Amino acid sequence: MKTPLVIGLLCFSVFLAVFLTTKTSIAAQQKVVVGSKIFTESYILGEIVAKKLELSQNKADNSTLIERRLGIGATGILFEALLGGDISMYPEYTGTIAEAILKRPDLKTFDEIQNALKPLGLTMSQPLGFNNTYALAVRTEVAQKFKLTRISDLAPVLTEIRIGFGHEFTTRSDGSPGLAAVYKIPFASRTRAMAHSLAYEAIREGSIDLTDVYSTDSKIESLGLLVLEDDLNAFPRYDAVILVRSDFVTLNPGLWSAIQSLAGTIDENRMRELNARVERDRQNFRAAADGYFEKSSANVDPSSQRPFFDLQKGRIVFRTKEHLILVGLALLFSLVLGVPLGILATQSRAFGQLILLVSGVFQTIPSLALLCFLIPLFGIGIGSSLIALCMYGLLPVVMNTFVGLRSIDRNLLDTANALGLNYWQSLFRVRLPLASRSIYSGLRTSAITGIGTATLAALIGAGGYGATILAGLAINDIEMITLGAAPAALMALAVHGIFELIDARLIPKGLR
Amino acid sequence: MHSFIFPNSKKTGHIVRHIATPLICVDHSLLRMQQKYVAGDASSDIFEIRSVSKSFNSTSILNDISLRVPMGVSHILLGSSGSGKSTLLKAALGIIKPDAGSFFLTGQALDFKDRAQWLHKLGYVPQDGGLFPHLTARQNIILVATTLKWDRDRIEHRLGEVQEIVALEPELLLRYPRELSGGQKQRVALMRAIFLDPNVILLDEPLGALDPIVRSDVQARLKEVFHRLKKAVVLVTHDISEAVFLGDQISLLKDGRILQSGSFSDLLKTPSDPYVSQFINAQRSWESI
């Protein structure tokens, strides 16, 4: 009975080894990867940086590859990707670096922050020229009704207004916790936390009155919001900079000076206008970024005015392919790993409990947190996403294999035993076929939940329908979100149907 | 407590009188003597159980059981449920390892580390047939032969033989167990048991789930097959009429012990223990024999 245990463990370690070696570092390759966070401004700045690098490279006739990995995720994910060498640089804000990354709210000046970054192997460019600080914005009607102009004015009317803050804002020390401390207003008790881009949707349709905004948001104007004055100076400065790996600076002095030349060239008005090109005019990020390089911002090239929505629409087939590959590979690994683990779990009680416990714990880890844990190990992109998807897909397969094998009639097992079948003959000719129905339904569960979970893979740049959904969230476009969500739902239905069809072929006839 | 009303003579309502008969005390040595006598005709072609004991959680399930079954003899293990008769079969098949004692076939002992060789000499028919539901009758029958890599011709040839022995309609071979009747399942299970031409056939209450008419039909068929194949047969049942009909020898088990072994008339006429009479009389009146 020891052989299957050894073989199972062997399979597991091979699987692990294969994945551990898939992590590739860009340090080894001659390319520069530009990342960005998942909101309009970060996308545009990422495009500007990438284009600037490309332009300067043409002059220098250097053949370093410039790769764009925009919209990878939130601060934590970008920072991990930068430290791990998956990306070379991304646009960041001085306030965020001090508060969220270095956890040093005491660092105020540019030089202080720059010095603190050095030990991490990072450096930042000179400020780009605008301060995109947090601000609180209210609906104009509400502002008029309660005569609100400053943040201090909120204190007496706190119970009268509905607040929706972005997740990041509710947790960062420079967000609502810091604000509450300075103004002595208990925001937390009245706040609903939501995705930042959805907060705009909520305030537009009037289901909330107050939200956090970035001072360069184009939506402040388009939604008719009033920005409340930070009369006690609670918010730190958020000067936009490009956060870069130090080894990039030493390896590519020419490219670095190109980035430094961006310093002081974008003021708040310019940035708000570039943001509006995407959110108001529905240009794609690259076209909006082109606005930076044009002499006059009013003169927009008509060919670049292809709406961002159409761009995403044209990518549906591509996204479907990405999504299917993600789900398919994850399912394959879940099968290859899950069935042996399920078999092992039936071997001994203690081992079985351990396997079921571990695969159960995987399920409880929130997906975003799991992705963050995996980035330092497997990098951003498909590697980490597959591991995460496998971890989620494993439990149904392991569990159903275990239960399927356990619920086989004792007398049939004795009979197989009495006929002189050895362990493997009994396993492959009797036990697995008898458990096939249960294993199969575990696979189906794994596939269908996998389709949903795979949308999160886009958070770390692995593509799929999630990329369309996140792009929609980033520019607050419900139609675009649907463009990603609806095919995912259709795919789940289709997969369900396909499993039904295969069911008739795969399950032994005598069991149907 | 067993019923005291004779099932077959309900109209007369006879009451068993054995309660009134004086108890006969039998000691162990006497029982052993009797067993020796049963296995008396010493031939090397013999299935033998030697002093097998087994306990679960300090409860004795099998207590020093010895038995010799020569080829061509059908030996019935008779007893009520819990008497240890099925456990004895499982031990003979190596599914349960006994605490003491062992099993021999033509002088060779069962080796628990390498049971395959042993098991191929033993045909087994479980309670309700034990057919695998995911395999057709045919696949069930030839399963072990395919794992032994028999070639196609050999399998087909042997299939024809066992089919003729058991007289199963050929079209039933392609059916799945759930498409077969109880009697048909039993015949398929028997075909599977004898496919490798074993020396011994073990049957664990093979007819328990069948209705009376099918049951007597299958009993007749079994008797014929036993007679024809001349194997050592060990059949477990709690039904005395079945034991009498199919068995050359009968061992009555109680609490993991063989109370008496012998022909039916031995058990009837010279019971070694009051329980022997009690068990026999509980099911039927044999006074007419």
Side-chain angles (χ1 to χ4, degrees):
Chain A
M1 286 299 197
K2 265 181 191 161
T3 340
L5 193 81
V6 171
I7 289 179
L9 288 174
L10 214 65
C11 288
F12 184 70
S13 35
V14 167
F15 177 82
L16 213 64
V18 166
F19 259 117
L20 283 169
T21 49
T22 55
K23 176 178 163 54
T24 54
S25 171
I26 55 141
Q29 294 155 29
Q30 265 303 310
K31 67 174 179 182
V32 171
V33 183
V34 180
S36 91
K37 296 197 203 177
I38 191 146
F39 57 87
T40 308
E41 185 169 296
S42 198
Y43 272 109
I44 294 172
L45 291 174
E47 286 286 0
I48 289 174
V49 168
K51 185 162 183 180
K52 187 79 187 172
L53 290 173
E54 284 165 352
L55 289 173
S56 72
Q57 200 174 278
N58 288 344
K59 280 179 212 153
D61 197 24
N62 191 326
S63 60
T64 306
L65 181 71
I66 311 293
E67 191 185 318
R68 291 168 171 80
R69 299 197 71 168
L70 306 180
I72 295 171
T75 304
I77 288 172
L78 263 297
F79 183 62
E80 286 294 345
L82 188 66
L83 278 185
D86 287 305
I87 57 174
S88 321
M89 65 188 74
Y90 76 95
E92 191 48 284
Y93 304 90
T94 50
T96 307
I97 295 172
E99 303 268 344
I101 294 176
L102 299 171
K103 314 267 187 276
R104 296 276 304 275
D106 53 304
L107 302 179
K108 295 293 178 205
T109 69
F110 180 86
D111 290 339
E112 282 171 356
I113 296 173
Q114 186 73 288
N115 284 334
L117 281 172
K118 233 173 236 162
L120 298 173
L122 303 175
T123 188
M124 55 184 183
S125 71
Q126 290 298 312
L128 301 180
F130 66 91
N131 171 25
N132 184 2
T133 185
Y134 273 127
L136 294 188
V138 284
R139 294 198 293 137
T140 322
E141 312 91 89
V142 178
Q144 283 164 353
K145 186 175 163 196
F146 297 110
K147 301 204 167 25
L148 303 174
T149 56
R150 305 170 305 162
I151 294 177
S152 306
D153 297 339
L154 288 170
V157 297
L158 192 67
T159 53
E160 308 279 329
I161 52 176
R162 294 161 300 167
I163 305 172
F165 286 152
H167 289 288
E168 204 167 334
F169 188 74
T170 57
T171 47
R172 285 170 56 144
S173 58
D174 56 345
S176 64
L179 198 64
V182 172
Y183 285 93
K184 312 247 181 306
I185 302 175
F187 287 109
S189 60
R190 305 283 310 158
T191 303
R192 273 203 294 172
M194 55 185 73
H196 187 250
S197 49
L198 292 183
Y200 282 123
E201 187 62 25
I203 205 163
R204 189 184 60 78
E205 61 165 36
S207 55
I208 58 172
D209 304 314
L210 175 80
T211 189
D212 61 299
V213 296
Y214 307 119
S215 54
T216 53
D217 269 352
S218 72
K219 296 195 190 77
I220 297 170
E221 206 182 298
S222 61
L223 294 178
L225 303 180
L226 183 87
V227 174
L228 298 177
E229 187 197 335
D230 179 16
D231 51 325
L232 296 183
N233 290 316
F235 292 123
R237 283 192 70 82
Y238 288 87
D239 291 312
V241 294
I242 307 301
L243 190 58
V244 186
R245 288 175 64 85
S246 304
D247 57 7
F248 165 80
V249 175
T250 44
L251 286 171
N252 307 280
L255 295 177
W256 176 235
S257 67
I259 288 172
Q260 288 289 40
S261 74
L262 292 170
T265 59
I266 309 172
D267 64 13
E268 269 145 59
N269 282 328
R270 188 86 185 273
M271 193 66 237
R272 208 175 289 145
E273 171 57 28
L274 293 175
N275 286 337
R277 282 173 167 237
V278 171
E279 295 177 358
R280 183 191 63 209
D281 305 338
R282 300 213 155 176
Q283 291 184 15
N284 66 42
F285 298 128
R286 197 167 291 191
D290 286 344
Y292 168 82
F293 297 95
E294 287 153 13
K295 294 282 171 283
S296 155
S297 62
N299 187 6
V300 177
D301 176 8
S303 67
S304 72
Q305 248 187 341
R306 186 157 75 128
F308 193 39
F309 181 79
D310 284 347
L311 182 75
Q312 292 293 343
K313 209 165 153 186
R315 284 195 185 159
I316 280 295
V317 175
F318 175 70
R319 293 295 184 211
T320 305
K321 222 183 283 173
E322 280 183 330
H323 210 83
L324 277 176
I325 288 171
L326 270 177
V327 174
L329 281 179
L331 190 65
L332 187 71
F333 286 128
S334 298
L335 174 72
V336 169
L337 197 63
V339 173
L341 281 175
I343 295 167
L344 282 181
T346 60
Q347 297 297 113
S348 93
R349 178 175 283 268
F351 198 57
Q353 289 300 319
L354 181 74
I355 289 174
L356 294 180
L357 185 76
V358 169
S359 40
V361 164
F362 283 169
Q363 294 277 307
T364 64
I365 307 174
S367 37
L368 200 54
L370 183 61
L371 290 173
C372 283
F373 296 146
L374 290 174
I375 287 171
L377 295 173
F378 306 105
I380 56 170
I382 198 150
S384 290
S385 309
L386 271 182
I387 298 261
L389 283 174
C390 284
M391 286 165 88
Y392 289 122
L394 212 51
L395 183 68
V397 180
V398 174
M399 198 65 164
N400 281 41
T401 304
F402 175 76
V403 170
L405 289 174
R406 266 295 161 91
S407 54
I408 296 173
D409 184 358
R410 182 77 233 168
N411 289 324
L412 289 180
L413 295 180
D414 280 350
T415 303
N417 206 343
L419 289 176
L421 299 183
N422 66 28
Y423 178 84
W424 296 107
Q425 289 165 345
S426 170
L427 182 67
F428 286 108
R429 291 183 176 248
V430 176
R431 295 171 68 208
L432 284 178
L434 286 176
S436 59
R437 176 162 285 259
S438 177
I439 295 171
Y440 190 72
S441 78
L443 273 181
R444 186 202 318 238
T445 308
S446 182
I448 289 172
T449 53
I451 291 169
T453 318
T455 57
L456 296 168
L459 287 170
I460 55 169
Y465 291 138
T468 311
I469 296 173
L470 287 179
L473 282 169
I475 63 163
N476 183 31
D477 185 332
I478 293 291
E479 260 178 89
M480 196 184 293
I481 294 170
T482 315
L483 200 63
L490 284 178
M491 186 184 277
L493 280 176
V495 165
H496 184 83
I498 289 167
F499 267 84
E500 283 290 318
L501 282 178
I502 300 175
D503 187 291
R505 306 221 160 270
L506 207 74
I507 307 291
K509 199 177 157 224
L511 299 179
R512 269 179 256 140
Chain B
M1 204 51 163
H2 290 275
S3 162
F4 291 135
I5 309 291
F6 302 154
N8 284 351
S9 50
K10 270 181 188 152
K11 50 182 183 241
T12 52
H14 284 175
I15 304 291
V16 180
R17 281 156 295 171
H18 75 267
I19 300 274
T21 57
L23 301 180
I24 305 161
C25 294
V26 180
D27 72 4
H28 244 5
S29 55
L30 194 65
L31 268 177
R32 290 240 177 75
M33 265 173 61
Q34 202 140 16
Q35 279 162 23
K36 247 182 210 146
Y37 167 72
V38 168
D41 51 323
S43 145
S44 65
D45 243 11
I46 214 163
F47 175 63
E48 190 183 356
I49 300 173
R50 255 185 232 164
S51 311
V52 166
S53 294
K54 176 77 188 171
S55 306
F56 283 120
N57 305 325
S58 73
T59 308
S60 177
I61 306 293
L62 299 175
N63 194 342
D64 193 21
I65 289 190
S66 294
L67 204 68
R68 287 161 68 88
V69 187
M71 297 299 138
V73 170
S74 300
H75 198 111
I76 310 297
L77 297 178
L78 188 64
S80 52
S81 54
S83 59
K85 50 197 192 326
S86 289
T87 311
L88 186 59
L89 282 199
K90 284 186 177 163
L93 292 162
I95 296 171
I96 294 170
K97 194 170 190 236
D99 303 330
S102 53
F103 300 86
F104 294 87
L105 183 57
T106 59
Q108 275 199 313
L110 159 60
D111 177 4
F112 275 86
K113 285 182 191 117
D114 180 25
R115 297 185 308 123
Q117 285 293 334
W118 171 269
L119 290 172
H120 295 155
K121 293 181 194 147
L122 262 62
Y124 175 54
V125 180
Q127 264 174 33
D128 74 17
L131 297 179
F132 299 118
H134 63 292
L135 301 176
T136 60
R138 182 195 152 87
Q139 289 168 328
N140 265 287
I141 294 164
I142 67 171
L143 175 64
V144 181
T146 59
T147 64
L148 294 174
K149 306 270 192 290
W150 280 25
D151 64 47
R152 207 190 159 86
D153 290 346
R154 189 175 172 197
I155 288 178
E156 291 307 325
H157 179 72
R158 182 60 186 159
L159 194 62
E161 283 177 357
V162 294
Q163 192 183 326
E164 193 260 325
I165 293 167
V166 178
L168 188 87
E169 299 83 336
E171 65 269 22
L172 297 182
L173 284 177
L174 295 178
R175 293 202 187 163
Y176 285 95
R178 65 181 162 90
E179 299 163 335
L180 297 172
S181 73
Q184 289 165 345
K185 274 188 216 169
Q186 282 310 331
R187 280 189 282 158
V188 171
L190 185 61
M191 285 170 76
R192 182 173 68 181
I194 63 175
F195 198 81
L196 297 188
D197 196 21
N199 307 61
V200 185
I201 307 174
L202 306 177
L203 304 97
D204 190 359
E205 306 224 17
L207 309 174
L210 304 180
D211 68 67
I213 292 171
V214 177
R215 192 177 170 114
S216 82
D217 183 47
V218 180
Q219 276 171 354
R221 183 116 39 190
L222 273 182
K223 185 167 186 166
E224 192 190 313
V225 171
F226 293 166
H227 188 72
R228 185 173 161 185
L229 293 178
K230 301 264 187 291
K231 309 285 183 192
V233 172
V234 179
L235 186 147
V236 162
T237 186
H238 58 259
D239 181 341
I240 291 171
S241 68
E242 192 165 294
V244 174
F245 182 71
L246 291 173
D248 302 316
Q249 298 285 326
I250 297 174
S251 287
L252 180 67
L253 274 79
K254 183 175 186 268
D255 301 333
R257 221 178 256 283
I258 293 183
L259 285 188
Q260 187 169 8
S261 277
S263 68
F264 177 67
S265 86
D266 291 340
L267 267 65
L268 186 68
K269 288 173 184 159
T270 54
S272 64
D273 185 294
Y275 180 79
V276 176
S277 306
Q278 189 189 353
F279 190 90
I280 291 172
N281 290 323
Q283 291 195 26
R284 195 165 291 182
S285 166
W286 298 106
E287 284 142 330
S288 58
I289 294 174

